[in-house]
Amino acid sequence: MRIEYDIKLGFKDVMIRPKRSTLKSRSQVTLEREFKFLHSPLVWKGIPIMAANMDTVGTFDMAAALAEKKLFTTVHKHYGVEEWNTFTSNIPKAYYNYIAVSTGISRSDSEKLKGILQHMPSLQFICIDVANGYSEYFADFVKRTRENYPNKVIIAGNVVTGEMVEELLLSGADIVKVGIGPGSVCTTRVKTGVGYPQLSAIIECSDAAHGLGGQIISDGGCSSPGDIAKAFGAGADFVMLGGMLAGHNESGGEIIERNGKSFRKFYGMSSSTAMTKHIGGVADYRASEGKTVEVPYKGEVEPTIQDILGGLRSTCTYVGAARLKELTKRTTFIRVNEQENQIYSE
Ligand code: 5GP
């Protein structure tokens, strides 16, 4: 046994220090970024915020709404080839740059991925997603996927430490997804004791990835636009959101009416709700590692996106970053013991 004594930080442990700036207005800030990838020849332009591949977040409806604004969706893995066919035949080709097909690492997952990409070869992004990205089998799966799809952009995760980011990038991933345990409907830290505070995970993993020419996604734990700004400030190239995009028209999830109020069901992909829905129950050798909650119905996702992007532009003006790309360089975090004043709630 060994203990690391330096304290790892989460979003709640820091704030971003304001800096003198020449920017006059938030409207001068551009949030679009352009990325070249480590393996894929694709060049991507857009706003690097992503909807999570959960079936109560990363739906086709969400993908269409976010692509319209040049934001990205990792579409959940439970749609069949036919459903993909119908979806892609109804959207402009330009949207394809903002959509990833998600897959697990079982044989049936990779067969389905093959079917989808055979029918729709213009789809450019593959998201290989497992809860625990530390297994040798996972890295081998990434390697095989890279051999089969040399030109696609491959996202792989989740991990939280630099050495594993490097291993996945060297195995063929272009972008590594970072986060174990911070998610709003995640119970991994409670069930297993395993995890890593997200801000430190981003700082350490982005350093490792950027050293090799790769990118990272900060996945999970953002509960406000300020957290998204902190994730970018810490070095994330992309930020993935679950709970913040749940509960909208586009999100999916059963609608529940109670006492004249509407809610939408939102659950973790390792919750017993998800496992019952997709694989007929929780296998007898494992525990549920996700919550099932009801979130207040929030209407269309568009105003939420505007709120997030407005907050982010404002962060950039506070530190003098004319482009989102400059935010990390201009960020100084201060350690704090307080966040917002909670005397009133909206
Ligand atoms: P949020 O933005 O809601 O805080 O986090 C979303 C992320 O939580 C997802 O992208 C995914 O990585 C993670 N997640 C989703 N479902 C589960 C689950 O059932 N268990 C765990 N451990 N993590 C989950």
Side-chain angles (χ1 to χ4, degrees), residues 52-54 129 131 158 177 179 181-188 219-223 240-244 266-271 289-291:
N53 48 319
M54 303 170 75
D129 188 26
N158 280 22
K177 201 147 71 78
S184 59
V185 281
C186 166
T187 57
T188 292
D219 175 19
C222 288
S223 58
M240 179 172 277
L241 307 174
M244 286 183 71
F266 172 49
Y267 46 82
M269 295 312 289
S270 302
S271 64
E289 285 183 31
K291 296 179 206 168

Side-chain angles (χ1 to χ4, degrees), residues 42-89:
L42 193 87
V43 177
W44 184 84
K45 268 193 195 159
I47 299 177
I49 293 178
M50 297 175 150
N53 48 319
M54 303 170 75
D55 63 358
T56 47
V57 181
T59 63
F60 285 145
D61 287 345
M62 184 65 78
L66 295 196
E68 180 69 29
K69 307 270 173 205
K70 299 189 175 174
L71 274 65
F72 199 96
T73 300
T74 50
V75 172
H76 71 74
K77 70 170 188 177
H78 299 290
Y79 288 118
V81 179
E82 272 312 305
E83 289 166 297
W84 269 100
N85 253 330
T86 312
F87 171 62
T88 49
S89 56

Side-chain angles (χ1 to χ4, degrees), residues 225-300:
D227 290 342
I228 301 174
K230 290 173 187 175
F232 282 122
D237 302 287
F238 296 85
V239 177
M240 179 172 277
L241 307 174
M244 286 183 71
L245 298 179
H248 295 88
N249 285 351
E250 297 86 349
S251 312
E254 192 187 319
I255 295 171
I256 298 150
E257 307 278 345
R258 191 177 304 114
N259 302 331
K261 289 199 175 128
S262 303
F263 301 85
R264 282 202 102 154
K265 209 177 240 189
F266 172 49
Y267 46 82
M269 295 312 289
S270 302
S271 64
S272 57
T273 307
M275 287 194 267
T276 304
K277 183 168 175 195
H278 298 297
I279 53 171
V282 183
D284 60 6
Y285 59 87
R286 62 182 292 180
S288 148
E289 285 183 31
K291 296 179 206 168
T292 300
V293 299
E294 292 169 10
V295 294
Y297 168 67
K298 301 174 194 160
E300 290 190 351

